[in-house]
Amino acid sequence: MIPEEGDGMRSRDEFLKLFLRHQDDIRAFLGSVVRDRGAADDVFQEVSLTLWESFASYDPARTFGAWARGVAFKKVLQGREKSRRIPLAFSPRTIQAVLDAYDRTEAAAPDTEGLRECISKLPPRSQSLLALRYERSLKLADIAREVGSSLDAVHKLLSRIRLNLQECLERRLQEGAR
Amino acid sequence: MTPLGDLIEKRLHGLATGEELQELDALLSSSPEAALAFARATRLDHALAKHFKGERAVSAIQRDLRGVRRRRLVSIAAAALVALGLGVYVARGRETLAMSGDLALGAGDLLHGPATITFPGEGTTVTLGSGSALTIEAPGPGKRLYLSQGRLSASVDRQADPLVIRTPDARATVRGTRFVLSTDQGSTRLEVTHGSVTLARGSEKVDVAADEVAETKSRTLAKGSLYADRFRALWDDLHDPARGYFSADGIPYHSVETLIVDAPDQGHLSTSETFSYWLWLEAMYGRESGDWAPFGAAWKKMEETLIPSHADQPTNDLYVPQKPATYVPEADRLNQYPVAMDPSVGVGADPLALPGDLYVMHWLVDVDNFYGYGKNALINTFQRGPMESVWKTVPHPSKETFSWGGPHGFLDLFLQEPSYAKQWRYTAAPDADARVLQVVAWAERWVREQGKDPSRILPTEKAGRMGDSLRYALYDKYFRTRHDLFSWSEAWGGSLDRTNGWAWRSGSSHVHFGYQNPVAAWYLSRSSADWAASLERQIEFYRWLQSAEGAIAGGATSSVNGRYDAIPDGTPCFHGLSYVEHPVFRDPPSNEWFGWQAWSVGRLAQYATLAKDAAAAALVDKWAAWARSVVQLTSDGRYAVPSTLRWSGKPDPWTASGPGPNRGLHVQVVDTTEDVGVAASLARALLAHGSAESRALAKELLDRMWTLYRDPAGVSNPESRADYIRFHDPVDLPPGWRGALASGGAFGPGASFLDLRPKYRSDPDFPRVEEAIRSGKAARFRYHRFWAQVEVALAFAELAR
């Protein structure tokens, strides 16, 4: 059945609510399997469009996130089949495995509040390193130059910071669960 | 850090080499734990970016959505496609085997219809019906599906390894074809429209070819004609009391649904059109089965219901053919009614002077007593000129006894007279009676083909009587001319009182091409010079009105504006009739409906075949080429046939010896529809035309319709009724007029369409109309109009031949 314009109006708020809640996860998934950030952004635009256009077919029995990632997955594969203009990091089989992993761990997605708290517990040097990487989007080589360290050291340092954050977030999650 | 963690971090930092990426790829696909770690890390990576850059402004997203919405407005069809994929996802398999909408489907996934399933890299489409259940199975090596319940239709590209669809009791093996597979209560049915499919049950096997159907219901796997089977399925539906097509006393309703405003303004009214289609249905049933009893029963019911009995037209003996009626001018606007009779305007004599009662159908009957004038009471609505749309009509009983309405019943709404008499009057819609005679023409042929004598099986004598009475339609309203064409109406009436009694009869001045029926005229012409003349004139009429493109333009009149005004300069003429772009009514314009094209030219095509008339065949060839060019078949399995036509220019003045090419007469398709009735009418017209191209398109339309719109009660497409906002339209009554309704309450100026039909307020669908009016958004309905169901059934029967 053709969706009515009026239905569209009614469902728009609902869509927006769900979309805003899940858009980060869709972006995260795309960013994880598409090699280039710009390309991932392009796919995200396409996915958003498709989600909105096909929102009538969304079955609330599944999570919106799983549905949305399914759409994103299809877009990624379509792009690959059509023109190979989407630079994929992995094979379709692996992308499917990543999708499954995302589906299984949806509830464990980092929440904004938790992340802020965990970051605030980091030493100031770690926080400023993260800012260089994520706020200014510097490449690791540039960060190394900026802080007067080696590339390898920055890589290891950042990896460790992220591991700490991961643990902090998981602790929070477990405490919350209790 | 673990080697996996290191690889992930390198990937995130853009430091991974090609080799390391390959290594990561292998790890992620082989180890779910690795994939989970990767998901965690990439989520965190994104969350950090977001944290440090701030959230993307909500307003930006909303701007995106507005852009999306604009695009959506122009690509509604594309949105419809996506919306079709309404599957219910249950379990995710590993490998993507198929897609439903945007869901990736793997082995073990269960879908509930309605849903459309596609397969990566090919055009194969499986459409799962509502309430159906399908499981995607692991390939073996071709595609494997299990239909546990319901119905699917499939269009399958050529497969290297066959696609196998199992049902609880059978197995269909497919290499590249189009078919419908359904299963219900343990038995399976397979309908093939293109290519072939092998159906197996245990060790039994049958190859089912195009246009064949096979079922596992019987003890052995049997196959038969697909389209004859679909005709029979619809015939069964139409006769199943549970479906609601007939009243308890066996009268076919205009539609199963009660809330519907077409020309009949409620669904459980019936019309002469409905009965004419019923007779078509039973004639085709007689052809298929050899059993003509249902046809006889339908004729009897038509006679009882719509042909007024002698008691209902009691004073015909007082009719004076030399003075058939007093002239009443037609008025252009509703507020000019009531209009006064004008005896000073001359009328012709009735050369037919048929003695006794007329044997034609009154057009409208209130089967369920919606209006309160009695069960199966003959009623009428349209009375007030070209601007009286159905929304402006005042329903009233055909027998006027002054029991309802005002002191003079309803008469003084329409006619201004010094005094009013109780009276009876009826109006025939000649296209419906003509359709009945067209059916008799075919039925006679089919009975003869069965080696039987038509006069012993069919009411041929009564058909002759109907043909006789129908000749009034060949005359101008006041017998000033004989135009020889099927005009818009014929009417007759008289006083109920014999003292100072009288009776009158009239033809109609207005002729619409859509009413012409050369098959009926051809049938009657065997024993009537009048009908032979009409046949010749009708063929000329089509030729005169055929546009440069091929579609047929409106019609003509013998009385300009219904007042015998002078023919405006520059108006082309046809045997003294002047051209009218939209004859009879202008709200909506009468010749903008594409259905007239399919109905009328369908008859012309049948006639061309029956009579082997080359001139008629040439007209149909040109028309069919146009019709085929304006039908759209889309890659999503849908179809669109024209709905509204727009006309420009005029035909060339008629010269029988050398008709003009009508280079200045043009048609344009304004919008399209999926209406099942109109599409079936078009399919029938194309089948009657009979060229390979026309037949192929007809088959395609019908197969698509069956797949899209077959439902438990028949065949039905959703339709938007924006016009239902007019339930509150005032009907425009004369100032100061007051009257009583049999269905309850009084009414006067300011009364609306709804006020005159108070029972609509308790119709179960009425809240949907109210909601539509409140929201300003057209309500959508799925209707089962009797004529449309029959049209689809007949189209399948004709396709089967």
PDB file of all heavy atoms in Angstrom, chain A residues 50-67:
ATOM      1  N   THR A  50      16.928   6.582   2.774  1.00  0.00           N
ATOM      2  CA  THR A  50      16.196   5.324   2.608  1.00  0.00           C
ATOM      3  C   THR A  50      15.394   4.999   3.865  1.00  0.00           C
ATOM      4  O   THR A  50      14.265   4.527   3.783  1.00  0.00           O
ATOM      5  CB  THR A  50      17.179   4.172   2.302  1.00  0.00           C
ATOM      6  OG1 THR A  50      17.955   4.563   1.188  1.00  0.00           O
ATOM      7  CG2 THR A  50      16.439   2.885   1.991  1.00  0.00           C
ATOM      8  N   LEU A  51      15.984   5.254   5.017  1.00  0.00           N
ATOM      9  CA  LEU A  51      15.275   4.966   6.267  1.00  0.00           C
ATOM     10  C   LEU A  51      13.981   5.764   6.325  1.00  0.00           C
ATOM     11  O   LEU A  51      12.928   5.245   6.681  1.00  0.00           O
ATOM     12  CB  LEU A  51      16.146   5.322   7.470  1.00  0.00           C
ATOM     13  CG  LEU A  51      17.358   4.422   7.715  1.00  0.00           C
ATOM     14  CD1 LEU A  51      18.196   4.983   8.847  1.00  0.00           C
ATOM     15  CD2 LEU A  51      16.901   3.006   8.037  1.00  0.00           C
ATOM     16  N   TRP A  52      14.088   7.019   5.947  1.00  0.00           N
ATOM     17  CA  TRP A  52      12.897   7.869   6.003  1.00  0.00           C
ATOM     18  C   TRP A  52      11.866   7.403   4.986  1.00  0.00           C
ATOM     19  O   TRP A  52      10.692   7.253   5.284  1.00  0.00           O
ATOM     20  CB  TRP A  52      13.299   9.322   5.764  1.00  0.00           C
ATOM     21  CG  TRP A  52      12.138  10.252   5.541  1.00  0.00           C
ATOM     22  CD1 TRP A  52      11.935  11.046   4.466  1.00  0.00           C
ATOM     23  CD2 TRP A  52      11.031  10.489   6.407  1.00  0.00           C
ATOM     24  NE1 TRP A  52      10.782  11.759   4.604  1.00  0.00           N
ATOM     25  CE2 TRP A  52      10.206  11.442   5.783  1.00  0.00           C
ATOM     26  CE3 TRP A  52      10.648   9.981   7.652  1.00  0.00           C
ATOM     27  CZ2 TRP A  52       9.016  11.905   6.340  1.00  0.00           C
ATOM     28  CZ3 TRP A  52       9.459  10.445   8.226  1.00  0.00           C
ATOM     29  CH2 TRP A  52       8.678  11.387   7.579  1.00  0.00           C
ATOM     30  N   GLU A  53      12.331   7.115   3.768  1.00  0.00           N
ATOM     31  CA  GLU A  53      11.394   6.718   2.723  1.00  0.00           C
ATOM     32  C   GLU A  53      10.731   5.385   3.026  1.00  0.00           C
ATOM     33  O   GLU A  53       9.598   5.155   2.636  1.00  0.00           O
ATOM     34  CB  GLU A  53      12.120   6.627   1.373  1.00  0.00           C
ATOM     35  CG  GLU A  53      12.383   7.985   0.775  1.00  0.00           C
ATOM     36  CD  GLU A  53      13.160   7.908  -0.536  1.00  0.00           C
ATOM     37  OE1 GLU A  53      13.906   6.937  -0.714  1.00  0.00           O
ATOM     38  OE2 GLU A  53      12.996   8.816  -1.350  1.00  0.00           O
ATOM     39  N   SER A  54      11.442   4.518   3.698  1.00  0.00           N
ATOM     40  CA  SER A  54      10.868   3.190   3.926  1.00  0.00           C
ATOM     41  C   SER A  54      10.436   2.993   5.378  1.00  0.00           C
ATOM     42  O   SER A  54      10.225   1.882   5.812  1.00  0.00           O
ATOM     43  CB  SER A  54      11.881   2.115   3.519  1.00  0.00           C
ATOM     44  OG  SER A  54      13.065   2.290   4.266  1.00  0.00           O
ATOM     45  N   PHE A  55      10.289   4.105   6.080  1.00  0.00           N
ATOM     46  CA  PHE A  55       9.936   3.994   7.505  1.00  0.00           C
ATOM     47  C   PHE A  55       8.620   3.256   7.697  1.00  0.00           C
ATOM     48  O   PHE A  55       8.404   2.579   8.693  1.00  0.00           O
ATOM     49  CB  PHE A  55       9.878   5.384   8.135  1.00  0.00           C
ATOM     50  CG  PHE A  55       9.630   5.361   9.620  1.00  0.00           C
ATOM     51  CD1 PHE A  55      10.459   4.633  10.456  1.00  0.00           C
ATOM     52  CD2 PHE A  55       8.577   6.061  10.170  1.00  0.00           C
ATOM     53  CE1 PHE A  55      10.246   4.598  11.817  1.00  0.00           C
ATOM     54  CE2 PHE A  55       8.349   6.026  11.543  1.00  0.00           C
ATOM     55  CZ  PHE A  55       9.182   5.298  12.365  1.00  0.00           C
ATOM     56  N   ALA A  56       7.723   3.356   6.678  1.00  0.00           N
ATOM     57  CA  ALA A  56       6.431   2.668   6.764  1.00  0.00           C
ATOM     58  C   ALA A  56       6.631   1.160   6.913  1.00  0.00           C
ATOM     59  O   ALA A  56       5.794   0.466   7.483  1.00  0.00           O
ATOM     60  CB  ALA A  56       5.593   2.970   5.531  1.00  0.00           C
ATOM     61  N   SER A  57       7.747   0.655   6.394  1.00  0.00           N
ATOM     62  CA  SER A  57       7.948  -0.797   6.432  1.00  0.00           C
ATOM     63  C   SER A  57       8.716  -1.229   7.688  1.00  0.00           C
ATOM     64  O   SER A  57       8.975  -2.397   7.878  1.00  0.00           O
ATOM     65  CB  SER A  57       8.688  -1.258   5.183  1.00  0.00           C
ATOM     66  OG  SER A  57      10.022  -0.818   5.251  1.00  0.00           O
ATOM     67  N   TYR A  58       9.084  -0.263   8.519  1.00  0.00           N
ATOM     68  CA  TYR A  58       9.814  -0.624   9.745  1.00  0.00           C
ATOM     69  C   TYR A  58       8.873  -1.334  10.710  1.00  0.00           C
ATOM     70  O   TYR A  58       7.793  -0.870  11.022  1.00  0.00           O
ATOM     71  CB  TYR A  58      10.406   0.636  10.384  1.00  0.00           C
ATOM     72  CG  TYR A  58      10.819   0.433  11.825  1.00  0.00           C
ATOM     73  CD1 TYR A  58      11.744  -0.535  12.166  1.00  0.00           C
ATOM     74  CD2 TYR A  58      10.240   1.192  12.840  1.00  0.00           C
ATOM     75  CE1 TYR A  58      12.103  -0.748  13.476  1.00  0.00           C
ATOM     76  CE2 TYR A  58      10.587   0.992  14.156  1.00  0.00           C
ATOM     77  CZ  TYR A  58      11.523   0.018  14.475  1.00  0.00           C
ATOM     78  OH  TYR A  58      11.861  -0.195  15.767  1.00  0.00           O
ATOM     79  N   ASP A  59       9.314  -2.504  11.141  1.00  0.00           N
ATOM     80  CA  ASP A  59       8.516  -3.304  12.064  1.00  0.00           C
ATOM     81  C   ASP A  59       9.021  -3.071  13.477  1.00  0.00           C
ATOM     82  O   ASP A  59      10.145  -3.455  13.800  1.00  0.00           O
ATOM     83  CB  ASP A  59       8.654  -4.770  11.676  1.00  0.00           C
ATOM     84  CG  ASP A  59       8.000  -5.677  12.695  1.00  0.00           C
ATOM     85  OD1 ASP A  59       7.165  -5.187  13.487  1.00  0.00           O
ATOM     86  OD2 ASP A  59       8.340  -6.879  12.718  1.00  0.00           O
ATOM     87  N   PRO A  60       8.215  -2.446  14.327  1.00  0.00           N
ATOM     88  CA  PRO A  60       8.689  -2.115  15.675  1.00  0.00           C
ATOM     89  C   PRO A  60       9.036  -3.348  16.512  1.00  0.00           C
ATOM     90  O   PRO A  60       9.608  -3.220  17.588  1.00  0.00           O
ATOM     91  CB  PRO A  60       7.508  -1.368  16.301  1.00  0.00           C
ATOM     92  CG  PRO A  60       6.604  -1.011  15.163  1.00  0.00           C
ATOM     93  CD  PRO A  60       6.846  -2.004  14.075  1.00  0.00           C
ATOM     94  N   ALA A  61       8.713  -4.558  15.987  1.00  0.00           N
ATOM     95  CA  ALA A  61       9.081  -5.761  16.729  1.00  0.00           C
ATOM     96  C   ALA A  61      10.613  -5.909  16.796  1.00  0.00           C
ATOM     97  O   ALA A  61      11.143  -6.555  17.688  1.00  0.00           O
ATOM     98  CB  ALA A  61       8.466  -6.993  16.067  1.00  0.00           C
ATOM     99  N   ARG A  62      11.341  -5.325  15.855  1.00  0.00           N
ATOM    100  CA  ARG A  62      12.802  -5.328  15.929  1.00  0.00           C
ATOM    101  C   ARG A  62      13.250  -3.972  16.460  1.00  0.00           C
ATOM    102  O   ARG A  62      12.483  -3.024  16.425  1.00  0.00           O
ATOM    103  CB  ARG A  62      13.497  -5.430  14.580  1.00  0.00           C
ATOM    104  CG  ARG A  62      12.970  -6.317  13.594  1.00  0.00           C
ATOM    105  CD  ARG A  62      13.665  -6.112  12.246  1.00  0.00           C
ATOM    106  NE  ARG A  62      15.125  -6.280  12.312  1.00  0.00           N
ATOM    107  CZ  ARG A  62      15.916  -6.022  11.273  1.00  0.00           C
ATOM    108  NH1 ARG A  62      15.411  -5.574  10.147  1.00  0.00           N
ATOM    109  NH2 ARG A  62      17.219  -6.191  11.367  1.00  0.00           N
ATOM    110  N   THR A  63      14.512  -3.915  16.829  1.00  0.00           N
ATOM    111  CA  THR A  63      14.982  -2.604  17.250  1.00  0.00           C
ATOM    112  C   THR A  63      15.208  -1.760  15.999  1.00  0.00           C
ATOM    113  O   THR A  63      15.556  -2.278  14.936  1.00  0.00           O
ATOM    114  CB  THR A  63      16.306  -2.690  18.035  1.00  0.00           C
ATOM    115  OG1 THR A  63      17.342  -3.034  17.125  1.00  0.00           O
ATOM    116  CG2 THR A  63      16.224  -3.709  19.158  1.00  0.00           C
ATOM    117  N   PHE A  64      15.019  -0.482  16.168  1.00  0.00           N
ATOM    118  CA  PHE A  64      15.232   0.442  15.058  1.00  0.00           C
ATOM    119  C   PHE A  64      16.688   0.366  14.604  1.00  0.00           C
ATOM    120  O   PHE A  64      17.008   0.407  13.416  1.00  0.00           O
ATOM    121  CB  PHE A  64      14.874   1.862  15.505  1.00  0.00           C
ATOM    122  CG  PHE A  64      14.996   2.879  14.405  1.00  0.00           C
ATOM    123  CD1 PHE A  64      13.938   3.137  13.550  1.00  0.00           C
ATOM    124  CD2 PHE A  64      16.182   3.578  14.214  1.00  0.00           C
ATOM    125  CE1 PHE A  64      14.053   4.074  12.531  1.00  0.00           C
ATOM    126  CE2 PHE A  64      16.302   4.516  13.204  1.00  0.00           C
ATOM    127  CZ  PHE A  64      15.237   4.768  12.361  1.00  0.00           C
ATOM    128  N   GLY A  65      17.565   0.215  15.598  1.00  0.00           N
ATOM    129  CA  GLY A  65      18.990   0.182  15.289  1.00  0.00           C
ATOM    130  C   GLY A  65      19.330  -0.979  14.361  1.00  0.00           C
ATOM    131  O   GLY A  65      20.063  -0.821  13.378  1.00  0.00           O
ATOM    132  N   ALA A  66      18.771  -2.149  14.654  1.00  0.00           N
ATOM    133  CA  ALA A  66      19.068  -3.327  13.834  1.00  0.00           C
ATOM    134  C   ALA A  66      18.530  -3.116  12.424  1.00  0.00           C
ATOM    135  O   ALA A  66      19.191  -3.436  11.438  1.00  0.00           O
ATOM    136  CB  ALA A  66      18.441  -4.568  14.467  1.00  0.00           C
ATOM    137  N   TRP A  67      17.329  -2.554  12.364  1.00  0.00           N
ATOM    138  CA  TRP A  67      16.734  -2.299  11.050  1.00  0.00           C
ATOM    139  C   TRP A  67      17.601  -1.307  10.265  1.00  0.00           C
ATOM    140  O   TRP A  67      17.932  -1.524   9.104  1.00  0.00           O
ATOM    141  CB  TRP A  67      15.314  -1.759  11.223  1.00  0.00           C
ATOM    142  CG  TRP A  67      14.658  -1.382   9.922  1.00  0.00           C
ATOM    143  CD1 TRP A  67      14.361  -2.208   8.890  1.00  0.00           C
ATOM    144  CD2 TRP A  67      14.239  -0.068   9.518  1.00  0.00           C
ATOM    145  NE1 TRP A  67      13.777  -1.510   7.863  1.00  0.00           N
ATOM    146  CE2 TRP A  67      13.691  -0.194   8.217  1.00  0.00           C
ATOM    147  CE3 TRP A  67      14.283   1.199  10.112  1.00  0.00           C
ATOM    148  CZ2 TRP A  67      13.188   0.898   7.515  1.00  0.00           C
ATOM    149  CZ3 TRP A  67      13.770   2.283   9.416  1.00  0.00           C
ATOM    150  CH2 TRP A  67      13.233   2.129   8.128  1.00  0.00           C
TER     151      TRP A  67
END
